[in-house]
Amino acid sequence: MASEKITMRFTIHTEEGKPIIRSWPSNVNLMGFVLELQGDKITDITDQVLSYAYDGHDDFSEGYAAIRRSNNWGYVDLSLTEVVEPKYQECSMVNEGFAKVKFDNKYGFINMRRLNFPCTDFKFDSANSFHNGMAAVRVGDKYGYVSAFSPNTVAIPCQFEKAYDFNLSYPFAVVKINGKFGVVDKQGNFVVKPEFDEYSPYSTRIGNSHYNAKIGDKLFFIGIDASVSEIEG
């Protein structure tokens, strides 16, 4: 069966430094890249075009790339159309449809899946990207979480001394409260009570086992499914 023809994009540079998009038919689907026709060879020059047009840029993620003009960051889409004006101090890679951005020394989120790219209020002192529909945020010295369903509202109050990202496979996250580590679900309920003195997101091997948490001298492994196993030392 013959391959369906796909229109690939390539660019030439004008004297003004603005990329002009041209089309060239091909059987290869490379949409999302800027391509240049050099004789009979098609070359991906996305990076060169972005470097030529902007003072800095990140890789594409979920169809968007952060770009920098002077000290301000924004976003372009796959056609290199500037969809978010460069006006932010920081812009993260897009994750789960949201971009974490910093403005006036506070963090908020842009919904990159909604028309006109609505942005939340800027009220967080720090923020992580979304994982499993939740993002850890900090107000003052306490951490909590916002939900992708309502990113402008704190879903789990900022009450923790530490808050790790939610696991991508299970709806759980490790937090620290009153000096102890435990595991919460997306409603902020403890599914593993906070009783651990130490926790690390990276496990340590001991014999044929691994541990990532301690109570005193006792070793434990907290699984991504919130299971807890005591490890014999």
Side-chain angles (χ1 to χ4, degrees):
M1 184 174 63
S3 300
E4 180 183 355
K5 283 197 172 184
I6 305 295
T7 299
M8 297 199 300
R9 294 187 293 270
F10 65 95
T11 187
I12 58 174
H13 293 165
T14 66
E15 290 183 357
E16 294 79 15
K18 297 180 179 179
I20 296 179
I21 305 302
R22 296 287 185 264
S23 296
W24 190 78
S26 172
N27 292 333
V28 182
N29 184 359
L30 290 177
M31 296 297 287
F33 297 90
V34 180
L35 305 170
E36 186 173 59
L37 179 60
Q38 300 173 340
D40 59 353
K41 183 180 179 182
I42 295 293
T43 304
D44 175 16
I45 60 168
T46 308
D47 187 73
Q48 293 96 308
V49 172
L50 288 175
S51 297
Y52 191 83
Y54 295 99
D55 298 311
H57 68 89
D58 283 339
D59 293 334
F60 276 93
S61 174
E62 299 186 15
Y64 299 95
I67 46 87
R68 179 174 58 84
R69 181 179 294 123
S70 186
N71 292 320
N72 298 315
W73 288 86
Y75 290 93
V76 295
D77 64 13
L78 291 175
S79 69
L80 298 194
T81 300
E82 198 173 279
V83 294
V84 175
E85 176 190 356
K87 62 180 180 180
Y88 298 104
Q89 293 168 275
E90 295 178 15
C91 282
S92 73
M93 295 181 72
V94 179
N95 200 49
E96 296 189 2
F98 286 90
K100 177 188 69 177
V101 292
K102 184 179 183 182
F103 184 78
D104 199 20
N105 294 319
K106 296 287 185 179
Y107 288 87
F109 298 93
I110 300 175
N111 190 334
M112 304 298 286
R113 295 176 179 170
R114 295 283 299 276
L115 185 65
N116 298 324
F117 308 100
C119 189
T120 66
D121 297 334
F122 292 90
K123 54 188 177 183
F124 302 115
D125 295 309
S126 70
N128 290 358
S129 296
F130 276 88
H131 292 80
N132 203 339
M134 304 290 284
V137 295
R138 178 175 60 85
V139 176
D141 60 353
K142 299 295 184 182
Y143 292 84
Y145 294 90
V146 296
S147 166
F149 293 107
S150 183
N152 207 35
T153 305
V154 175
I156 301 177
C158 293
Q159 57 186 310
F160 306 116
E161 292 134 44
K162 285 187 178 180
Y164 291 89
D165 291 329
F166 269 78
N167 185 270
L168 294 178
S169 301
Y170 294 90
F172 306 121
V174 175
V175 297
K176 183 180 183 181
I177 187 169
N178 298 325
K180 302 290 185 178
F181 291 93
V183 181
V184 294
D185 61 17
K186 289 187 176 183
Q187 288 70 49
N189 302 313
F190 277 97
V191 294
V192 175
K193 64 181 181 180
E195 60 180 351
F196 297 91
D197 301 315
E198 298 179 27
Y199 170 79
S200 171
Y202 308 103
S203 62
T204 300
R205 184 181 180 89
I206 179 170
N208 293 323
S209 302
H210 293 79
Y211 72 91
N212 58 9
K214 289 184 178 181
I215 299 177
D217 294 329
K218 293 183 177 181
L219 307 179
F220 296 85
F221 184 79
I222 303 175
I224 60 174
D225 58 351
S227 60
V228 178
S229 304
E230 185 172 356
I231 306 301
E232 296 297 330

